[in-house]
């Protein structure tokens, strides 16, 4: 499954990317990464923008990052 970073997201969602391995991380941080729903490295997932999700991301900022949304430029059809 290939996920693209240029797709439009719904309001109130976060795109999260797992950027660093949790091999040497403490067990509690591994559980947070698994609880967010990640299954493999460099995976981009979409989660609702809630305080619980933001708190989980704040516990592992060195392993997970919030992906910036790039504005998609639509080309006018001539």
């Amino acid at each position: 499954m290939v996920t693209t970073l240029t797709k439009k997201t719904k309001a109130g969602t976060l795109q999260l990317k797992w950027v660093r391995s949790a091999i040497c991380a403490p067990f509690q941080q591994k559980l947070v990464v698994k609880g967010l729903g990640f299954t493999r490295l460099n995976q981009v997932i979409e989660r609702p923008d809630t305080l619980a999700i933001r708190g989980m991301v704040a516990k592992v900022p060195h392993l997970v990052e919030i992906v910036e949304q790039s504005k998609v430029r639509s080309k006018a059809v001539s």
Side-chain angles (χ1 to χ4, degrees):
M1 181 173 106
V2 177
T3 57
T4 60
L5 300 178
T6 58
K7 67 179 182 176
K8 291 185 179 180
T9 60
K10 300 172 243 170
T13 61
L14 292 173
Q15 280 195 338
L16 305 172
K17 183 175 182 181
W18 187 8
V19 294
R20 190 163 181 191
S21 176
I23 290 175
C24 291
F27 184 70
Q28 291 296 321
Q29 292 180 359
K30 290 179 185 181
L31 289 178
V32 171
V33 171
K34 187 175 181 180
L36 284 169
F38 288 109
T39 56
R40 61 189 177 278
L41 201 58
N42 293 320
Q43 180 182 11
V44 177
I45 59 172
E46 208 171 284
R47 293 289 171 251
D49 189 5
T50 62
L51 290 177
I53 298 296
R54 286 196 176 261
M56 291 173 79
V57 172
K59 291 291 183 182
V60 288
H62 55 289
L63 302 177
V64 176
E65 70 181 17
I66 297 175
V67 178
E68 296 272 338
Q69 288 291 2
S70 61
K71 294 185 179 181
V72 179
R73 296 180 185 175
S74 60
K75 294 182 180 180
V77 178
S78 300

